[in-house]
Amino acid sequence: MKLYHLPTGLLHVNAYFLVNPQTNNAILIDGGESYKAIKKAEQDLGVKVTALLLTHAHFDHAGNARALQKDGVKVYISKIDAPKLKNGLNLAGDFGRQFEPLDADVLVDDGDELQIEGITVKVIATPGHTDGSVTFMVDDMLFTGDTLFLQSVGRTDFPTGDKNQLINSVKRLFNLDGEYKVYPGHEDFTTLSHERKYNMFVDYD
Ligand SMILES: [Zn+2]
């Protein structure tokens, strides 16, 4: 499995391509807003995205989901955040952005183990940024969306956000055994051991 990273859009959402090198088919984690950017990346990388996994429904992560879905890409999201793909809670309206509503293809839940393109993806519920935010675990990698960032955590002042929930979610990640690479929805990559030590927002020892 190969990982490629593409920062997209004004809000610099990190889109991640997980590619099966045998087939060159790819899972995309959080596509961002631009359909064109994903199409171009597919061409540049020589891959074909067949599944889009959304950490949550906010427009800056999910804005191109419907356009990709029309190409046959299967869209995955937690059952709690799924309705936000069709209502104002994706925040597109608040930020003056267009958002084409959609019904997700697959609703996921805490503890699910997905097999997609020969890649095993575990779903960890990490509510707090939104009530339906999830982290996707693939091997020793955590795709944390807007839950955990390099020495920071996600905002909790948007609708369905909850600070205590967020802190508990980050602690849940910190309590995983061993070391993981952390690939957040924005900004730089980090590791779980770095965050256990240096993240000032969460008491942990
Ligand atoms: Zn968000």
Side-chain angles (χ1 to χ4, degrees), residues 190-202:
T190 181
T191 63
L192 219 44
S193 59
H194 182 90
E195 296 309 311
R196 287 178 184 125
K197 235 189 250 178
Y198 297 113
N199 196 304
M200 305 291 280
F201 294 87
V202 182

Side-chain angles (χ1 to χ4, degrees), residues 156-178:
T156 53
D157 56 332
F158 294 129
T160 82
D162 183 303
K163 193 171 177 198
N164 289 330
Q165 253 189 351
L166 183 91
I167 298 301
N168 285 332
S169 291
V170 174
K171 281 187 183 161
R172 189 177 179 201
L173 297 178
F174 284 4
N175 284 327
L176 291 168
D177 277 338

Side-chain angles (χ1 to χ4, degrees), residues 9-64:
L10 291 175
L11 298 174
H12 300 114
V13 162
N14 292 322
Y16 296 101
F17 294 78
L18 298 171
V19 180
N20 176 330
Q22 259 107 55
T23 61
N24 284 327
N25 284 345
I27 299 173
L28 179 62
I29 298 183
D30 284 354
E33 285 188 85
S34 169
Y35 171 74
K36 271 193 202 161
I38 299 303
K39 291 283 118 181
K40 181 170 185 313
E42 278 186 310
Q43 257 182 3
D44 292 348
L45 299 170
V47 306
K48 180 177 160 52
V49 172
T50 63
L52 171 63
L53 276 57
L54 297 170
T55 59
H56 63 297
H58 283 160
F59 74 97
D60 51 331
H61 299 252
N64 56 15

Side-chain angles (χ1 to χ4, degrees), residues 139-161:
D139 300 332
D140 64 343
M141 300 178 283
L142 297 172
F143 297 90
T144 56
D146 287 357
T147 298
L148 173 63
F149 299 117
L150 171 65
Q151 290 178 218
S152 189
V153 296
R155 288 174 63 166
T156 53
D157 56 332
F158 294 129
T160 82

